[in-house]
Amino acid sequence: MKVAVIGGGAAGMSAASRIKALRPNWEVMVFEKSSFVSHAPCGIPFYIGGAVDEFEELCAYDVDYFRRERGIDVHTNSKVISVDDGSVTVEENGKESVYEWDRLLFATGSRAQRLNVDGENLDGVLYVDDIESAQRVKIDAIEAENVVIVGSGYIGVEMANAISRLGKKVTVIEVRERPLPEYDAEIAAIIKSEMEKFVDLRLSERVAAFDGQDCVERVITNKSEYRCDLAIVAVGVLPNTAIAEGFVDLGRSGAIKTNSRMETSRENVYAAGDCAESVNVVTGREDWIPLAAPANKMGYVAGVNMAGLELHYPGSLKSQLTGFKGLEIGKAGLSENEALREGYEVVSAFITSRTSARYLPGGLIHLKVVADRSGKLLGVQAAGNDVAMRIYAASALLYNGADVKDLFFTDFPYYPPISRVWDPLVVAARNLFRKLGIP
Ligand code: FAD
């Protein structure tokens, strides 16, 4: 049996490794257009900010490891340029080669959304979508004095954090009225005030053009102009489906439509990771969730099914963690705005709480819990200290369809230096009791 995997990132290498573990005698080929596999784009901001010295450190395993230890036929610098029934055409070593397959996986990831404004192709206007672009950003960032970051989604926020760590003057321009627009206003306000201590944060401002002689010198917005010698654009990502279009069906999100076995509309063809659509566990509806942990698991599930066994991917909660300076930020499930857009009748509680007993030093957490009128938990967001452990707990509850009473009665452990006898999650649930008529 011959298996072809397009893309050697999280999803592709998880799938290839699983197939080889279950079917050691099968031939598994991975085609990766860059020189790296099993790279970790999530580590890019830490590489650019200097916390990681060499970008090779971002690769979980090197190519030789996969060839030698796992028996995977890895082709790097090999770009798949077209897909047909039973074969792929690959551009490698300056020529086109055709490889046959019995089972095929699309694991092509996502790509940075372009701004499509004048001057976008000037030198010094960069996107961060892979390890190779990260190398370029790092070189330019070290030279630069003024850096403009366009977009304040989590990648923009993490890039702002990284570049300000290098001691550069950073301006962040965001078209919406708050940073991290996926979060509700109460949580975004905390993030905004932390960011404003370190960067020039310009909200409700739209970039109209980049300007300069040979390389970028100014970013022009609908309100002002900003001098810069590097502009990093981070305005969102899109599923990378170019070679899949017309061969398999795409879903409403534009990502490849899959079922819970990660099968596409075409027999023996699978898709996993950022290029694939899956299910949002909270809403039960199709969704596009381009994050690393789901990508790995989708790849794992695709690998099992491609090997002829059966495993189902239940979907994801869009659980996420990020940070800016000392502030931890996280979210699982839906924000209030997202829940309203999905048609839920929403109740919510926003609290600020200490994270240790009052007689010991500790931090603060700002936390918002969203539920529907029946009490079903829809989402939790937080910013401050000790956010991760609460988003982990919330993720487990949301995954299991918990309600507000479950959140209240879950037996979160108490130890004075690091938690509260009434945990912030429990206090927020108690606030929701009042709104839901629970005594
Ligand atoms: P990728 O890892 O993108 O791999 C796809 C691979 O396919 C690439 O190597 C690409 O070169 C290759 N490819 C594409 N087309 C072809 C072709 N035609 N032929 C051959 N090869 C091809 N997620 C989190 O959960 N947490 C984080 O903290 C986080 N931080 C991030 C920070 C940054 C700066 C970025 C850019 C992303 C971050 N993500 C984070 C998202 C996370 O990296 C992705 O969700 C994850 O990498 C998706 O894995 P994947 O295998 O689907 O795609």
Side-chain angles (χ1 to χ4, degrees):
M1 197 55 107
K2 279 189 184 167
V3 175
V5 173
I6 312 174
M13 295 319 292
S14 293
S17 300
R18 197 85 296 262
I19 298 166
K20 266 312 234 188
L22 295 169
R23 303 284 180 210
N25 297 328
W26 286 17
E27 187 184 335
V28 178
M29 300 167 282
V30 174
F31 301 103
E32 166 54 50
K33 70 178 158 99
S34 74
S35 350
F36 306 97
V37 292
S38 192
H39 48 76
C42 315
I44 288 174
F46 304 93
Y47 163 66
I48 290 172
V52 176
D53 291 331
E54 302 297 333
F55 62 88
E56 284 87 351
E57 293 173 46
L58 298 184
C59 298
Y61 300 104
D62 64 18
V63 176
D64 282 344
Y65 172 87
F66 283 107
R67 287 184 184 137
R68 203 181 52 241
E69 301 295 325
R70 300 202 179 166
I72 299 169
D73 182 15
V74 181
H75 299 235
T76 48
N77 302 308
S78 300
K79 181 177 179 182
V80 175
I81 51 171
S82 68
V83 177
D84 294 295
D85 230 350
S87 69
V88 287
T89 304
V90 183
E91 217 171 59
E92 55 184 354
N93 306 321
K95 61 178 173 53
E96 287 181 13
S97 312
V98 175
Y99 293 88
E100 292 184 346
W101 53 263
D102 301 300
R103 293 199 179 146
L104 174 73
L105 176 70
F106 286 102
T108 45
S110 51
R111 60 190 167 85
Q113 197 167 331
R114 304 285 133 169
L115 257 186
N116 296 324
V117 296
D118 284 349
E120 196 177 17
N121 296 323
L122 279 169
D123 257 9
V125 179
L126 299 177
Y127 290 81
V128 237
D129 37 14
D130 53 32
I131 289 195
E132 277 151 359
S133 62
Q135 280 178 286
R136 178 76 200 281
V137 171
K138 183 157 180 165
I139 292 164
D140 284 17
I142 289 167
E143 302 276 299
E145 266 179 51
N146 297 296
V147 179
V148 168
I149 293 165
V150 185
S152 70
Y154 80 88
I155 294 180
V157 167
E158 290 180 19
M159 290 309 299
N161 196 20
I163 305 277
S164 72
R165 197 171 182 264
L166 296 176
K168 311 297 169 175
K169 184 176 175 304
V170 177
T171 303
V172 177
I173 302 173
E174 166 61 53
V175 71
R176 283 176 275 192
E177 73 280 7
R178 52 179 187 257
L180 286 180
E182 277 190 51
Y183 288 69
D184 285 327
E186 301 91 326
I187 299 292
I190 312 294
I191 299 158
K192 173 175 178 281
S193 71
E194 185 68 7
M195 286 183 77
E196 282 173 342
K197 289 182 203 159
F198 300 93
V199 302
D200 181 12
L201 179 62
R202 300 294 172 140
L203 300 171
S204 306
E205 224 169 302
R206 179 179 294 277
V207 170
F210 299 97
D211 188 33
Q213 287 294 330
D214 298 322
C215 58
V216 67
E217 291 165 25
R218 270 176 307 282
V219 178
I220 301 162
T221 73
N222 57 336
K223 294 186 180 164
S224 190
E225 283 190 18
Y226 302 90
R227 279 193 47 224
C228 71
D229 18 37
L230 169 64
I232 300 170
V233 185
V235 292
V237 291
L238 295 170
N240 195 2
T241 54
I243 52 166
E245 277 166 42
F247 188 70
V248 291
D249 291 347
L250 304 186
R252 264 188 316 151
S253 64
I256 301 170
K257 206 171 168 52
T258 56
N259 63 16
S260 63
R261 296 181 63 167
M262 309 316 302
E263 289 167 324
T264 67
S265 56
R266 192 179 273 261
E267 206 181 351
N268 292 325
V269 180
Y270 297 72
D274 283 8
C275 67
E277 210 172 63
S278 62
V279 166
N280 185 311
V281 168
V282 177
T283 64
R285 288 196 265 275
E286 281 137 19
D287 204 346
W288 182 53
I289 302 175
L291 288 167
N296 276 288
K297 289 179 194 158
M298 282 191 246
Y300 187 99
V301 169
V304 171
N305 290 297
M306 290 172 83
L309 302 171
E310 187 165 341
L311 191 64
H312 292 265
Y313 181 63
S316 143
L317 294 165
K318 246 184 199 175
S319 299
Q320 50 194 280
L321 286 171
T322 185
F324 187 84
K325 305 297 172 189
L327 195 70
E328 283 178 45
I329 305 160
K331 175 171 177 281
L334 307 178
S335 67
E336 183 163 359
N337 280 331
E338 288 166 339
L340 289 169
R341 276 202 300 276
E342 289 288 335
Y344 290 99
E345 249 191 274
V346 174
V347 288
S348 67
F350 172 68
I351 63 151
T352 296
S353 164
R354 291 174 54 88
T355 54
S356 64
R358 77 191 140 66
Y359 46 81
L360 288 172
L364 276 186
I365 186 166
H366 310 272
L367 187 131
K368 181 166 177 179
V369 177
V370 180
D372 77 1
R373 281 264 152 219
S374 73
K376 182 185 176 214
L377 215 51
L378 297 177
V380 175
Q381 308 152 69
N385 297 104
D386 302 326
V387 164
M389 68 186 201
R390 295 189 169 87
I391 296 300
Y392 269 59
S395 299
L397 286 159
L398 284 158
Y399 182 77
N400 287 296
D403 64 15
V404 172
K405 276 194 201 155
D406 296 319
L407 181 63
F408 181 82
F409 285 116
T410 295
D411 190 13
F412 300 117
Y414 170 55
Y415 177 50
I418 56 168
S419 58
R420 305 275 295 167
V421 71
W422 290 95
D423 190 87
L425 285 169
V426 177
V427 174
R430 198 172 57 196
N431 283 8
L432 286 177
F433 276 13
R434 283 200 282 282
K435 300 184 180 176
L436 292 166
I438 300 170

